[in-house]
């Protein structure tokens, strides 16, 4: 494994090995074991063309705890925002640092950074996928459920970056995957075709139908970063695509609810259901730190 550009590039064994290391790093941190030897003296460049709280903090704190150093580059304050080609940025950063984490719009930009640079590149979210989040999600599911065997994950919402990565992650781990989304808001067509051929995939327009017998319900915002202008149109299209009592009742009794955050209460999930599952959702948010540290160690050590 040289980069983390998308989950589809990783084998089931590689994903499991990241999750196992994440569990170990979490244990070490909770027990006060010094971790600064892992990546002593290594610099991680963090490029952000979109907003972030969890991703930025987990990578910044993560690399620091591992003995390395974070360097934040915003799109607007670096030459990237003034149009310096990604081929040049990749080659410059490769001569000064040991890894790049990037959050941006286009998946191609992330793939190009990896292609033209010579250091590991980590995808911290694009319009296409969010592999780092899904590693933390898988870690959390395994923590709560013990294993992935026989589980069903149901995504209620937009067929966006989260849906794409969750679908890949679920199928690779052997979970059933169901999605409830409005017409015209399905996940990536190629990924859906892959999920249908490799796994157990179900698409419905009805969240209650999709959630039937699910062990994990997952949801995300109706309008992602960059789609703010579509908020009104999307609110109309997604009416009813909400995690509410009826959806949770259709799922298994002990079903967990996950959300990558930030959440829009009253849209994709009701306030009551969100708060009833706050424990697992904020465990999931914490696991971003441990999962991201595992990715850093795997790629940069
Ligand atoms: N879930 C997630 O990636 O959060 P941020 O946008 O705050 O990084
Ligand atoms: N789908 C959301 C995820 C945020 C973590 C977005 O792209 O804005």
């Amino acid at each position: 494994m040289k980069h983390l550009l998308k989950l589809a590039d990783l084998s089931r064994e590689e994903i499991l090995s990241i999750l196992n290391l994440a569990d170990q790093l979490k244990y070490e941190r909770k027990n006060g074991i010094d971790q600064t030897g892992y990546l002593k003296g290594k610099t991680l460049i963090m490029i952000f063309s979109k907003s972030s709280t969890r991703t930025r903090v987990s990578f910044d704190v993560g690399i620091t705890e591992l003995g390395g150093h974070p360097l934040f580059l915003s799109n607007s304050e670096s030459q990237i925002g003034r149009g310096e080609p990604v081929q040049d940025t990749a080659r410059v950063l490769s001569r000064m640092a040991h890894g790049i984490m990037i959050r941006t719009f286009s998946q191609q930009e992330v793939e190009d950074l990896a292609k033209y640079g010579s250091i590991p590149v980590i995808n911290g979210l694009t319009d296409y996928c969010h592999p780092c989040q899904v590693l933390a999600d898988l870690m959390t599911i395994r923590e709560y459920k013990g294993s992935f065997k026989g589980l069903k994950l149901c995504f209620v919402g937009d067929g966006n970056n989260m849906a794409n990565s969750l679908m890949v992650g679920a199928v690779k781990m052997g979970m059933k995957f169901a999605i409830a989304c409005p017409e015209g808001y399905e996940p990536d067509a190629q990924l859906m075709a892959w999920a249908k051929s490799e796994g157990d995939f179900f698409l419905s327009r009805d969240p209650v139908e999709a959630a039937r017998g699910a062990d994990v319900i997952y949801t995300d915002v109706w309008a992602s970063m960059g789609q703010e202008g579509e908020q009104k149109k999307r609110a109309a299209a997604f009416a009813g695509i909400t995690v509410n009592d009826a959806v949770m009742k259709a799922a298994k009794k002990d079903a967990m609810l996950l959300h990558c955050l930030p959440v829009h209460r009253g849209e994709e999930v009701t306030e009551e259901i969100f708060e009833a599952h706050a424990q697992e959702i904020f465990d999931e948010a914490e696991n971003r730190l441990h999962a991201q540290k595992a990715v850093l160690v795997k790629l940069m050590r």
Side-chain angles (χ1 to χ4, degrees), residues 151-169:
L151 298 188
K152 173 178 172 179
L153 190 157
C154 169
F155 184 88
V156 176
D158 186 21
N160 60 14
N161 43 14
M162 279 310 312
N164 285 339
S165 285
L166 277 169
M167 183 163 61
V168 173

Side-chain angles (χ1 to χ4, degrees), residues 103 125 130 160-162 220-221 224-225 260-262:
R103 166 169 288 195
L125 179 147
H130 196 2
N160 60 14
N161 43 14
M162 279 310 312
D220 184 18
V221 291
S224 287
M225 289 181 276
C260 55
L261 302 176

Side-chain angles (χ1 to χ4, degrees), residues 48 51-56 103 124-125 130 133 162 225 260-262 288:
F48 282 91
S51 308
S52 170
T53 298
R54 279 144 289 267
T55 304
R56 180 170 175 183
R103 166 169 288 195
L125 179 147
H130 196 2
Q133 176 68 50
M162 279 310 312
M225 289 181 276
C260 55
L261 302 176
R288 289 296 303 277

Side-chain angles (χ1 to χ4, degrees), residues 262-278:
V263 61
H264 286 186
R265 291 171 169 82
E267 291 190 10
E268 70 269 15
V269 58
T270 64
E271 165 90 35
E272 297 70 30
I273 295 288
F274 179 84
E275 288 302 336
H277 292 270

